[in-house]
Amino acid sequence: MTKACEIWTHLHEEGVRTTAEVAEALAMDITIAHRMLRSMAMFGEVVRFEKDPADPKSRLSYAVTGDCVTPFGVRLKDILP
């Protein structure tokens, strides 16, 4: 399984996660995880949630939604009821 597939699957199973949480869970370098997540967000494979400026504990995070494209190019809403 490619790292992109591992990230996508992890987010699908675990929900909204920060870059650091993804990197730790998948034993990845945080810089590589950040680059991959940013790229995956640009291609619609994951959704990016910005930091809340009003909350100092808020962090940039990512998740998979029904509108996300799977790493194989199929939208979840097209394959799940």
Side-chain angles (χ1 to χ4, degrees):
M1 182 182 299
T2 66
K3 281 294 182 189
C5 287
E6 287 181 37
I7 291 171
W8 192 93
T9 303
H10 178 70
L11 291 174
H12 182 257
E13 292 173 351
E14 301 297 325
V16 180
R17 295 288 182 254
T18 65
T19 301
E21 291 170 332
V22 170
E24 182 180 341
L26 300 178
M28 295 176 68
D29 179 85
I30 194 165
T31 304
I32 293 170
H34 172 72
R35 287 182 192 149
M36 291 186 74
L37 284 162
R38 185 178 59 189
S39 177
M40 291 172 76
M42 285 184 349
F43 289 106
E45 295 174 345
V46 299
V47 174
R48 177 179 164 151
F49 297 99
E50 299 295 330
K51 295 184 212 179
D52 179 0
D55 180 4
K57 293 183 179 184
S58 175
R59 298 286 180 257
L60 180 68
S61 55
Y62 298 87
V64 171
T65 68
D67 288 325
C68 290
V69 176
T70 68
F72 304 104
V74 179
R75 293 187 189 277
L76 269 183
K77 67 183 180 183
D78 295 335
I79 57 175
L80 294 177

